[in-house]
Amino acid sequence: TTIAATTTTTLPPPSVAWRRVADLGAFDRSFVASVVEYDGRLFAAGYTLEAGADATDPWEGWVTDAAVWVSADAEQWRRIDAPGVFGGEGVQMITRIAAGPTGLVAIGLADGWAAVWTSPDGDAWRRAERGDDYAYMESVVWGGTQWVAVGWDPYGNGRAWVSADGIDWASIPGPDLHGSAPEVAANLFDVAVT
């Protein structure tokens, strides 16, 4: 199976020297999808493979919990301990984390449904229920006046949502978010502010 993805990478100025951090124990059996700076700290977000799950075949019987890690110096990381917020039955995963005036918003998937997690300060987190959207949220950004998220549903239709506070979201309807023919998917993978 081959999975292809398009990514955009911003390289640091040539004067910055990159080096591998020696101890990444906080990320054991984890996948980091996104990192953002907020209030002088770094926040990484993604998911962890639950104990007992088969890490050699992640597509068979996947059981994951969403996860957020925090660091003041990019060397020492600590996983935010909130199993009641980030855990649950089946697959929970964060695909993107973003910062804005209301704090942090992390989006992704929780057992087949679009999911949103929010924090006003990076320490206390809550999960906003998104039970009406059988979809996958892929990317989120603060657009200057509101949060904007994009993703897709299982039928290949692109999806977009907006929110003033990161907690209450409204789906943006529109025929231009759907594929032009049944065999054409209009999956939306990223959103940016210009």
Side-chain angles (χ1 to χ4, degrees):
T1 303
T2 302
I3 298 173
T6 303
T7 60
T8 304
T9 303
T10 304
L11 298 176
S15 62
V16 174
W18 287 88
R19 66 181 176 74
R20 185 179 184 100
V21 175
D23 180 18
L24 291 176
F27 297 101
D28 187 42
R29 296 176 57 89
S30 300
F31 175 80
V32 174
S34 182
V35 179
V36 68
E37 186 275 334
Y38 180 72
D39 199 25
R41 298 184 294 170
L42 294 172
F43 292 86
Y47 59 88
T48 62
L49 196 60
E50 287 185 4
D54 184 359
T56 62
D57 188 3
W59 299 111
E60 184 63 38
W62 239 19
V63 181
T64 63
D65 283 338
V68 173
W69 299 264
V70 61
S71 175
D73 62 7
E75 301 232 4
Q76 300 297 316
W77 290 87
R78 171 181 60 84
R79 183 174 168 190
I80 302 290
D81 185 23
V85 175
F86 296 121
E89 294 294 320
V91 174
Q92 274 66 228
M93 62 175 57
I94 295 173
T95 55
R96 191 70 54 99
I97 188 171
T102 60
L104 294 165
V105 171
I107 54 92
L109 180 75
D111 209 24
W113 301 92
V116 178
W117 296 265
T118 63
S119 175
D121 57 11
D123 295 314
W125 286 84
R126 70 178 270 193
R127 182 169 152 196
E129 293 303 320
R130 298 290 317 135
D132 60 330
D133 283 321
Y134 188 60
Y136 186 73
M137 296 179 104
E138 181 69 33
S139 186
V140 65
V141 67
W142 174 254
T145 59
Q146 63 187 349
W147 293 96
V148 179
V150 296
W152 67 89
D153 67 24
Y155 310 104
N157 299 313
R159 298 287 306 272
W161 300 265
V162 293
S163 172
D165 59 8
I167 298 168
D168 295 312
W169 291 80
S171 184
I172 301 174
D176 48 297
L177 294 178
H178 302 276
S180 59
E183 67 278 358
V184 177
N187 297 343
L188 301 175
F189 291 96
D190 210 347
V191 61
V193 175
T194 59

